[in-house]
Amino acid sequence: MINSFTEALVSLQGWLLDRLVQPPLLAMGLGSYLEVAFDGVEFVLWGVLQMALAYLLLRPIEALRPIEVWPDRQAVRVDVLYTMLDRLGIVPLLVFVLLAPLVVEVDSWLRFHDIIPGQLEDLLPALERQPLLSFVIYLLILDFAEYWRHRLSHTLRWWWALHAIHHSQRQMTLWTDSRNHLLDDLSSGVWFAAISLLIGVPPGHFIGLLMAIRTIESLSHVNAWLSFGRLGELLLVSPRYHRWHHALVLPDDRRYRYGCNFAVLFPVWDQIFGTQYRGQAMPATGIGDDGPLPASAARSGFWRQQGEGLRALAAAVLPGTAARPATSAHTNDHRQDEQHGR
């Protein structure tokens, strides 16, 4: 069954490339990008599949067992737009266009110096016969890297100014995971691609790893009373666990001054590095009115949010510009950092 599905997906991928993508590329003299376009079509197909599954499986749960019920879901609609732009490849395409020259230069430099990133299979040849185990190990490594990327996006003032767009949503749903400033997406894309290149993730694993992470992210943002069970909650980031990461009021402990529960997939990283909080309540979500964004950011449209993020970024990095603090917890810490010249 899996083989039949894969064959059907590859056939559809080829048909879309031949009928819709290849003609305009050839007409514009961009035939050299056909291989990249083929991979792009695959990315879009998996994105469509992921959105469809998320809607069919998670939206009914939100409707049946909602944590919060809102008479007006206008603020959610912009998150749906973010998800479509992300999953259908619009944002990844923008990232690719911006990064393609740099990737070519880096790849050329590495090849010129006979540097080829190693793969796990080179260190452990037995993994070549166990692709699933290899996939899981790569997933663990990338999730560890994602934990630190996520934590840094709350710790570094300029990055938080952008990442706050994601946290500004007070009506959190399965669509919220794609709600990000474009520059935040760019930073995250560079991080993920660079780590993948560094550890030698095989091309065949890359999209699968990305989709696995995104699927769990959609699940962890769902607006539903959903439990993974006592053991499951310890092994995988659940909606309750991640909701505390988005809490409007953070736990009153200096350990959580930049936030808590930064893990994307596996809570073990928070446990190891002291950022785990396992509250049983389902707190309200969002950032306070004293955050880096105006209160209207929770409900404003896509382009306005992008502009608000840029203004917050400018306030964070330009000398002499009054910057709004991140949250009450972030505020105290950033002020202490400034007093000590950090």
Side-chain angles (χ1 to χ4, degrees), residues 87-124:
R87 299 299 191 263
L88 296 181
I90 308 301
V91 171
L93 178 61
L94 175 62
V95 172
F96 170 77
V97 170
L98 293 173
L99 293 183
L102 177 61
V103 171
V104 170
E105 288 296 325
V106 171
D107 184 66
S108 299
W109 186 90
L110 291 174
R111 291 178 182 276
F112 180 78
H113 291 84
D114 293 325
I115 300 175
I116 301 177
Q119 298 181 355
L120 287 176
E121 290 81 352
D122 298 329
L123 299 175
L124 302 170

Side-chain angles (χ1 to χ4, degrees), residues 38-304:
F38 184 76
D39 293 336
V41 171
E42 181 183 11
F43 184 93
V44 170
L45 287 176
W46 280 107
V48 170
L49 179 63
Q50 185 187 19
M51 281 195 300
L53 288 175
Y55 185 80
L56 292 174
L57 298 177
L58 300 180
R59 184 67 191 100
I61 298 176
E62 286 190 330
L64 291 172
R65 305 193 63 195
I67 299 170
E68 297 176 305
V69 178
W70 312 291
D72 180 7
R73 294 176 60 88
Q74 178 183 351
V76 177
R77 297 189 190 111
V78 69
D79 289 356
V80 177
L81 174 60
Y82 274 107
T83 302
M84 293 181 66
L85 292 174
D86 187 33
R87 299 299 191 263
L88 296 181
I90 308 301
V91 171
L93 178 61
L94 175 62
V95 172
F96 170 77
V97 170
L98 293 173
L99 293 183
L102 177 61
V103 171
V104 170
E105 288 296 325
V106 171
D107 184 66
S108 299
W109 186 90
L110 291 174
R111 291 178 182 276
F112 180 78
H113 291 84
D114 293 325
I115 300 175
I116 301 177
Q119 298 181 355
L120 287 176
E121 290 81 352
D122 298 329
L123 299 175
L124 302 170
L127 290 178
E128 293 183 1
R129 300 187 297 274
Q130 302 183 56
L132 180 58
L133 179 57
S134 173
F135 181 89
V136 170
I137 295 175
Y138 280 120
L139 189 62
L140 283 168
I141 296 172
L142 286 171
D143 189 52
F144 173 74
E146 283 294 286
Y147 166 85
W148 283 105
R149 176 199 61 78
H150 197 184
R151 188 169 174 177
L152 285 172
S153 71
H154 283 249
T155 306
L156 300 178
R157 194 180 185 90
W158 67 268
W159 207 340
W160 170 247
L162 298 173
H163 189 60
I165 291 289
H166 178 68
H167 282 263
S168 66
Q169 179 58 282
R170 297 195 177 189
Q171 296 181 3
M172 196 168 77
T173 67
L174 67 97
W175 308 109
T176 304
D177 67 297
S178 292
R179 177 191 181 103
N180 291 296
H181 196 279
L182 292 176
L183 289 180
D184 192 16
D185 268 334
L186 178 62
S187 302
S188 302
V190 171
W191 182 282
F192 192 86
I195 298 297
S196 298
L197 178 64
L198 182 65
I199 65 176
V201 172
H205 279 348
F206 185 80
I207 290 183
L209 290 164
L210 190 60
M211 291 303 163
I213 290 174
R214 287 183 168 182
T215 298
I216 299 301
E217 284 184 318
S218 293
L219 179 60
S220 65
H221 288 85
V222 73
N223 174 42
W225 293 94
L226 182 63
S227 174
F228 291 173
R230 186 172 181 179
L231 179 60
E233 294 271 339
L234 295 175
L235 298 178
L236 195 65
V237 170
S238 68
R240 185 194 306 273
Y241 188 88
H242 194 66
R243 194 172 180 88
W244 274 104
H245 175 71
H246 280 263
L248 182 61
V249 179
L250 294 172
D252 188 16
D253 189 311
R254 181 168 173 77
R255 289 179 300 165
Y256 310 129
R257 62 192 183 278
Y258 290 120
C260 62
N261 299 358
F262 297 106
V264 175
L265 298 184
F266 307 118
V268 65
W269 310 126
D270 284 305
Q271 186 174 5
I272 291 173
F273 297 108
T275 53
Q276 186 174 87
Y277 183 77
R278 288 198 171 275
Q280 293 304 303
M282 290 291 195
T285 62
I287 54 176
D289 294 336
D290 60 346
L293 302 171
S296 61
R299 299 177 59 84
S300 54
F302 175 83
W303 288 113
R304 184 173 177 179

